[in-house]
Amino acid sequence: MRNMMVTRDSATPAIVIGAGIGGLASAIRLRVKGYPVGVYETQAGPGGKLTEVRTAGYRFDMGPSLFTLPEQVDELFELAGKNPRDYFSYTTLPVITRYFYPDGTRLDAWQDPEAFAQEVEARTGEPAAHVSALLHKSRELYEITRHVFLERSLHRLDTYTRLDTLRSMLQVHKLDAFRSMHRANIARFRDPRVVQLFDRYATYNGSDPYQAPATLSIIPHLEHNLGAYYPQGGMYSITRALHRLAEELGVVFHFDTPVSEIVVRDGTAVGIRVGDALIPAAHIVSNADIVPTYRRLLPGLPAPEAILSQPRSSSALIFYWGMDRQWPETEVHNIFFSADYQAEFAHIWQSQTLWHDPTVYLYVSARVEPGDAPAGCDNFFVMINTPCDQGQDWDRLIAEARTHILRKLEAMLGTPVAPHIRTEQILEPRTIATRTSSWQGALYGNSSNNAFAAFMRHPNTTSRIKGLYFAGGSVHPGGGIPLCLLSARIATDPIVALPGQ
C-alpha cells in the first residue's frame, strides 16, 4: 500500500486524520502555528465529500454544490500570507435556484433580496413584503446565533463570558426554537408554494422541516443577504486550492493510508497507529465522522453514547448523468418540487424509505463551466433526499427512484430525458458511507430535528483526552463547507502556536 513506510515521520508533532475540507483547514491552521503536520487519508486524494468525477468528457462535482460564506475559505490563505485569488476565484450567481412546481409554476430565486421578493409576488401572489420580512428575520437570527453557535465552542466557559455572547443570550427568545420550521412558515406565508420553498432550507443540514426548529430559517440569509457563488473550475477547485496551499506550506499528505487507532496513554493522545507503525504526535485532529472515530479509532475507551446515539441526518441518492443535449430552460441549481412535501418527509423520516414523488435537485455546472460537458451537452447532477442507511433494500429503492425521477423531470421539463443519458454513475447511502466514512451514509452527522440539536453535537475538544481535537461536519457547529471550516478554526484555536510564529 502506498505511503505505508511512515515510521521515520516520528517527529511530526501534529497529525490530522482525514483530508476532507475540515481536515485540510485544520492542517493549514496548524502549519501556520508552526507545527510540522502530517495528514493521513484513507482515500487516494483530498476532499472527502468535496471531490469530483470525470468520465467520457464530462466533469461532475460529487458532493456539495452551493458555495456561501467564501470569506471562510479566503481566511485560510490570508492566515498564510497569501492572496486567495492567486489560488481560486468565484463569481456571483444572479439566480441562485430555479424552482419548478407540479402546477407548472416556475420561479427564480434571485440573489438580490428585493428582486427575489418581487419575483415571488409576481409568480405566486404572495406579497413581496412577506418575503422581505422573512429575510430580515433570517438576518436577525444569524446575528444572534453566529457568535455562540457558529464561531465558537459551546463547551468552553470563555465563550459565555464575552460581551457579544451575553448580548446573544439576552435575545435567545427570538430564536423560535420550539416551533417547527414548517409551522413558522405557514404562519408567515399564505401561498403553499412559498411555504414549500422556505421549508426546503431544512434539508441544507439534512433535517426535516416538519420537525426541525424554526431557528434554521437563518439559512436563507446566507444566500440572499450575504450571497451565493460559483467557484471557477467547480466546487472541487476549493479542495484543489486548499490542498495546494497546504503542500506549499509544508504539510505532508499520506493518501491511501488508513489510520487504525488513536493511541491514548494516561488520558493523553500520544499518536496514531498505521498498520504496525506508531506515529507519535503532540496534537491530533480527527476529521473523521465522530461515530467511527470512537467506535474504530478509540477502542476500549468510554464513548459519549448520548451524542453518538442521536438520530442521524438524511443521506442522498445522486445520479451523475452525462447528457447528449442541453436544456437551456434550466439554471445552475434547480428544484423540481414534490406535490406532497409532507408525505415525502414522512417517508424519509418515519418510514425510512422513499416517496414515489420525490423532490429532485438538479445541478448543471455546465451552465457556467461549458468545459464540464462536451459541446452541446449537459452534465446532470441529479439528487434526492433519502434516509440514512439502516439496512434498507437499496438496490430496489434506487431502481424505483430512478424511474420516478425520470418521469418527474420529463413531465416538468416537457421533453424526454432518459433517451439522452450517455453516461451514468451513482452515489447512494452505502457508497457515501464507504467512500467518506460517514456513519450510515448520513451527510451531516446528527440531524437538527429538535430544539436542542446544536447542544447534542460532539464538541471540538474533549476533557477526557488531552491533545485530541475534532473537526468536520459531524461535530460542532455542523455540516456543509462553511461550518466545516469553522469547526477547524474552533478545534485548533486552543492549540498554542510554537514560539516565533
Side-chain angles (χ1 to χ4, degrees), residues 4 7 260 273-278:
M4 284 299 289
T7 53
S260 58
R273 198 171 298 281
V274 177
D276 294 329
L278 173 63

Side-chain angles (χ1 to χ4, degrees), residues 66-73 204 222-223 227-229 235 481-482:
L66 185 67
F67 188 34
T68 58
L69 296 180
E71 60 269 23
Q72 297 298 334
V73 179
Y204 279 44
L222 305 182
E223 293 187 1
Y229 305 89
M235 296 296 289
I481 294 171

Side-chain angles (χ1 to χ4, degrees), residues 16-29 37 39 253 285-287 471-472 484 487-488:
V16 177
I17 302 172
I21 195 76
L24 292 171
S26 297
I28 291 166
R29 288 180 176 277
V37 180
V39 178
F253 287 86
V285 178
S286 176
N287 181 224
C484 285
S487 78

Side-chain angles (χ1 to χ4, degrees), residues 91-107:
T91 57
T92 301
L93 290 175
V95 175
I96 300 172
T97 306
R98 178 162 290 168
Y99 291 95
F100 296 75
Y101 290 88
D103 67 357
T105 301
R106 294 185 182 182
L107 186 158

Side-chain angles (χ1 to χ4, degrees), residues 9 95 98-99 147 160 173 256 287 289 323 345 365 435:
D9 197 13
V95 175
R98 178 162 290 168
Y99 291 95
H147 300 299
Y160 300 95
H173 62 284
D256 289 323
N287 181 224
D289 188 292
M323 313 302 292
F345 281 96
S365 66
R435 293 183 186 182

